[in-house]
Amino acid sequence: MRLSVKQVILFLGGILACQLSWMGCFPLIPAYYTAVCLEDAARGMFSIAMLAGIILFVPVTAAVKYLMALAVILVTIKLFEWAEGWCSVACAAFAAAIATLMMSLSGELLNMRNSVSLASALLEAVFVLSAVMLGTRFVDFFMQASLIPEKEEEGHYKEERLETYADSFSGLSKIFARMSSAQKGFSSEQIGRIQNELTGSLCINCNQCALCWERSESPMYSYLAYMLQSLQRTGEPDHEIVVQMKEYCPYTDAVIQEGMRIFEKARLNLAWYNRLLENREIIAQQLDAMAYIMEDCANETVEITQEHGQLLAEAKYRARERGVIIQKQHLYENKDKRWRLVCDVHAKNGSCVSMKELTKAVSAGLERGMRPHRNERAMVTPQGGTVTFEEDTAFHETHAAARCVKDGGHVSGDNYSFLELDGGKMALMLSDGMGSGSTACKESELVLELLEKFLEAGFSEETALKMMNSAMVIRGEDDLYSTVDICALDLYTGSCRMYKIGAATTFIRHGDFVERIESHSLPVGVTHRMEITSTHRQLQSGDYLVMVSDGVLECLQEDEPDKAMCDILNGISSRHPGQIADTLLDEVLQRNGQKAKDDMTVLVCGVWKKKGA
């Protein structure tokens, strides 16, 4: 076994502890041995070093006592580690004190010594107990002294490079945005080209061309210009102009027919050109979104490992008490002053430790509530791995859904999603595809799938909506539109921001008062320039968010369905989101004779503040 310099220093310290005595006792021997054994720093070699120190410096009668005490201490620690996976400092300290006291009492009885020695034995046991409780911390800090400051890995966070990429994407976005906007009609230059094409294809081969175009007093210039203007406005030539043209041109019908053909071709080219410009604008929006996410990632966190080294050492010490070894700790703080800890962990002694126990140790060490990342494993294994902890939220939520398919249907056109995001956010999303059946279901499912991907990638809700809408516009399916209803809930602050794109009213129940959030925007996919507005509300503990699809309100058949929905919510006494959703849907169906004229979906989310938050 290869020993480190620090382990050798600990071994030499053990030999030195064997030379320090007090009133015929050597209390540092069991105390120091227990503290180092809890560190698990080459116990076998350390036990040999302590044995050598005892043989060299401790009298024979006392040596037997302390050797027996060390054996009891080692066996006790091993038994705890075998049964629980770890041995706490308190258990080891009491075991060391009791073993030392029992060995002293055994020696007192055999040698029939006086009561003064018995008192010294009690004092020795108390000293051992206190020394172990304090000594384990000093040993742990000594072994981890090189942890902080720790050299940061090259390229761990390449903020400058990300910012450069963000500037590049932003520049490309501005270039596309500066391109000309879509044209609603033909310019005078384009009308001139149409006229040249028309006269070039017909008039140049006509035997009367010189009479019509080379004579200065010929009215054909004005007649043709008026005819093209009427074709541009209505698609048909003006009757009066046609009558006047026929007095000068015997081929007027052919001119009109050719003009209509050329105009139709020009309109088609203009439509494709405008579509190209729209796609350029969509690309500009997507590039701008990429620039935003890169810049946000570059400025998202700042490493504060060195500033809080003492707290990290405390967290590591408490984790080791629970049988988990923490290595390579990196502590970050985001722009909202919330912490995130990334570290490598593995369980000691071949056992497994629950993530819940490790979370308690980390929270106590960092002196603030922490929780594992949502995708972390439930157990810490001997093989270990990288674990991420984030600051715990002040609120927690419970959600549920209830849905009903349109009478005669088999597939609901409504789709919903409860998406837990990084940063303590929760996104409740509801999409209603136009119509019903499998076609509407696929459309709303695609909308939610795109939103989930963008939000999980770190885009803001507004940016995700724009990119999703761009994708739906490019898709180009006619008459296939979907509504989108998003409630973005921040569980740190309890604030909620709602985005409604053609969606039905959202309700918030504050105790006995029900608030309505309405919107009148168009569904997604209608136009590439989607106007996004949001509504912000601060939720309190015990508030409920209720999101419904259009079919729920339409089923009420009331003059004011929103008000009727508020009355129904006020009449529900349950505090469980699942029961609220089921009761609400049952009440709506009951008011309409159990008939569902459209797909109906109800989402309910309850928010409560955590204890101590």
Side-chain angles (χ1 to χ4, degrees):
M1 178 185 294
R2 184 176 180 180
L3 300 177
S4 66
V5 175
K6 290 187 177 182
Q7 289 176 330
V8 172
I9 294 175
L10 287 180
F11 297 168
L12 294 177
I15 296 174
L16 179 63
C18 296
Q19 302 182 50
L20 303 178
S21 62
W22 171 73
M23 295 178 61
C25 300
F26 295 83
L28 284 179
I29 293 178
Y32 188 81
Y33 182 79
T34 305
V36 177
C37 279
L38 286 175
E39 184 65 29
D40 196 14
R43 288 177 182 171
M45 296 295 295
F46 177 63
S47 299
I48 295 173
M50 290 294 293
L51 176 62
I54 292 173
I55 293 174
L56 291 174
F57 303 110
V58 180
V60 176
T61 54
V64 175
K65 163 190 167 181
Y66 289 110
L67 286 175
M68 293 296 294
L70 297 188
V72 173
I73 293 169
L74 181 60
V75 170
T76 302
I77 293 176
K78 284 289 188 179
L79 285 174
F80 269 101
E81 291 177 345
W82 175 77
E84 302 291 336
W86 51 279
C87 179
S88 66
V89 174
C91 292
F94 277 103
I98 294 173
T100 304
L101 178 61
M102 295 302 297
M103 293 302 106
S104 298
L105 293 177
S106 299
E108 298 294 340
L109 293 175
L110 292 174
N111 294 323
M112 308 213 27
R113 296 183 178 180
N114 53 40
S115 58
V116 176
S117 296
L118 292 175
S120 65
L122 290 173
L123 291 175
E124 182 185 25
V126 173
F127 176 84
V128 170
L129 176 65
S130 303
V132 172
M133 297 295 290
L134 295 175
T136 50
R137 290 186 174 273
F138 286 106
V139 172
D140 182 72
F141 292 158
F142 171 74
M143 292 298 293
Q144 307 305 328
S146 62
L147 175 65
I148 302 166
E150 187 176 84
K151 185 178 180 181
E152 187 176 357
E153 297 178 8
E154 184 179 358
H156 189 70
Y157 264 86
K158 298 183 178 179
E159 293 89 352
E160 294 183 359
R161 195 169 182 181
L162 281 175
E163 289 179 351
T164 302
Y165 290 155
D167 291 340
S168 299
F169 280 104
S170 180
L172 286 173
S173 174
K174 292 177 181 178
I175 291 174
F176 278 102
R178 284 198 300 265
M179 292 182 177
S180 56
S181 58
Q183 298 181 16
K184 296 182 179 180
F186 298 104
S187 63
S188 57
E189 183 180 352
Q190 289 173 321
I191 292 293
R193 285 200 297 266
I194 292 175
Q195 180 175 334
N196 292 335
E197 182 179 354
L198 178 61
T199 56
S201 61
L202 291 179
C203 298
I204 196 171
N205 296 319
C206 178
N207 52 12
Q208 296 185 8
C209 179
L211 297 176
C212 294
W213 298 107
E214 293 182 4
R215 294 172 58 183
S216 58
E217 66 273 10
S218 174
M220 283 299 297
Y221 285 99
S222 59
Y223 289 160
L224 188 60
Y226 288 140
M227 187 197 72
L228 292 178
Q229 289 176 5
S230 63
L231 286 175
Q232 181 182 2
R233 288 193 307 268
T234 63
E236 296 289 338
D238 185 83
H239 178 70
E240 184 178 350
I241 298 299
V242 172
V243 173
Q244 294 177 2
M245 280 187 62
K246 286 184 176 180
E247 296 179 0
Y248 289 89
C249 179
Y251 305 105
T252 298
D253 293 337
V255 171
I256 294 174
Q257 185 177 2
E258 181 67 12
M260 293 176 65
R261 186 191 67 80
I262 294 175
F263 255 107
E264 186 64 28
K265 183 180 68 173
R267 287 195 183 95
L268 183 61
N269 291 336
L270 180 61
W272 279 109
Y273 178 73
N274 287 337
R275 188 62 181 268
L276 175 62
L277 293 180
E278 288 180 3
N279 290 340
R280 288 175 180 174
E281 188 171 345
I282 291 172
I283 293 173
Q285 293 176 359
Q286 294 176 346
L287 290 173
D288 197 42
M290 291 300 299
Y292 163 80
I293 194 66
M294 288 183 177
E295 186 175 358
D296 187 62
C297 288
N299 301 320
E300 185 179 12
T301 59
V302 177
E303 185 165 3
I304 55 174
T305 305
Q306 296 185 14
E307 291 86 337
H308 298 281
Q310 186 174 357
L311 295 179
L312 290 171
E314 180 69 17
K316 184 172 184 179
Y317 171 77
R318 291 178 179 270
R320 186 180 58 76
E321 273 195 299
R322 290 171 167 81
V324 178
I325 302 299
I326 296 181
Q327 297 173 326
K328 295 183 179 179
Q329 299 182 91
H330 292 276
L331 186 63
Y332 302 98
E333 185 179 65
N334 64 13
K335 55 188 177 182
D336 296 321
K337 304 299 180 182
R338 299 189 183 105
W339 288 6
R340 178 168 58 91
L341 175 65
V342 181
C343 56
D344 293 342
V345 301
H346 69 272
K348 296 180 359 181
N349 308 313
S351 60
C352 293
V353 180
S354 69
M355 187 62 69
K356 185 177 180 180
E357 287 294 329
L358 179 57
T359 303
K360 292 179 181 178
V362 171
S363 298
L366 296 182
E367 298 179 354
R368 60 176 65 195
M370 303 294 288
R371 66 174 185 175
H373 188 268
R374 56 191 173 88
N375 295 327
E376 288 298 344
R377 67 202 79 180
M379 302 293 292
V380 180
T381 62
Q383 293 75 24
T386 302
V387 176
T388 300
F389 293 94
E390 56 189 20
E391 193 168 335
D392 200 6
T393 58
F395 291 83
H396 69 92
E397 58 82 31
T398 302
H399 53 260
R403 62 194 312 190
C404 178
V405 181
K406 178 182 178 181
D407 289 345
H410 302 285
V411 179
S412 175
D414 300 343
N415 275 290
Y416 65 90
S417 174
F418 299 107
L419 184 63
E420 185 178 356
L421 300 170
D422 292 336
K425 289 187 176 182
M426 185 75 188
L428 291 77
M429 298 184 288
L430 176 61
S431 179
D432 180 5
M434 292 294 105
S436 61
S438 59
T439 302
C441 177
K442 290 179 181 179
E443 187 71 13
S444 60
E445 186 178 21
L446 176 61
V447 167
L448 290 184
E449 185 177 354
L450 289 172
L451 284 175
E452 287 178 346
K453 295 298 182 183
F454 290 135
L455 291 175
E456 287 177 339
F459 291 98
S460 66
E461 291 80 12
E462 185 172 342
T463 305
L465 282 169
K466 288 181 179 179
M467 296 186 69
M468 178 275 299
N469 184 71
S470 298
M472 299 302 291
V473 171
I474 292 176
R475 185 166 175 246
E477 295 286 345
D478 294 334
D479 300 328
L480 291 179
Y481 308 122
S482 296
T483 67
V484 174
D485 200 352
I486 299 179
C487 286
L489 180 61
D490 189 337
L491 295 176
Y492 283 107
T493 62
S495 63
C496 178
R497 188 166 292 278
M498 286 156 281
Y499 301 85
K500 307 182 75 62
I501 313 298
T505 304
T506 295
F507 303 87
I508 304 178
R509 193 173 83 174
H510 311 276
D512 296 332
F513 170 69
V514 179
E515 182 184 4
R516 293 177 286 181
I517 309 297
E518 301 177 351
S519 175
H520 303 286
S521 59
L522 294 173
V524 298
V526 176
T527 174
H528 69 285
R529 293 182 178 178
M530 180 176 61
E531 293 185 4
I532 300 176
T533 58
S534 62
T535 304
H536 176 267
R537 290 292 183 273
Q538 179 63 46
L539 302 182
Q540 304 298 327
S541 182
D543 288 350
Y544 293 88
L545 278 166
V546 180
M547 303 166 60
V548 298
S549 60
D550 292 335
V552 176
L553 297 178
E554 292 172 0
C555 187
L556 286 173
Q557 294 185 344
E558 300 275 351
D559 294 336
E560 297 183 16
D562 290 359
K563 186 177 182 301
M565 181 64 69
C566 293
D567 295 337
I568 295 175
L569 285 173
N570 276 326
I572 299 176
S573 59
S574 175
R575 295 182 176 273
H576 189 278
Q579 294 180 356
I580 293 175
D582 292 336
T583 304
L584 192 151
L585 188 59
D586 291 341
E587 179 68 21
V588 170
L589 286 171
Q590 186 176 356
R591 293 192 179 194
N592 196 38
Q594 300 298 325
K595 294 181 180 180
K597 295 183 178 180
D598 195 3
D599 301 321
M600 297 189 292
T601 303
V602 178
L603 307 184
V604 180
C605 177
V607 179
W608 295 272
K609 198 165 188 179
K610 295 181 178 178
K611 292 182 179 180

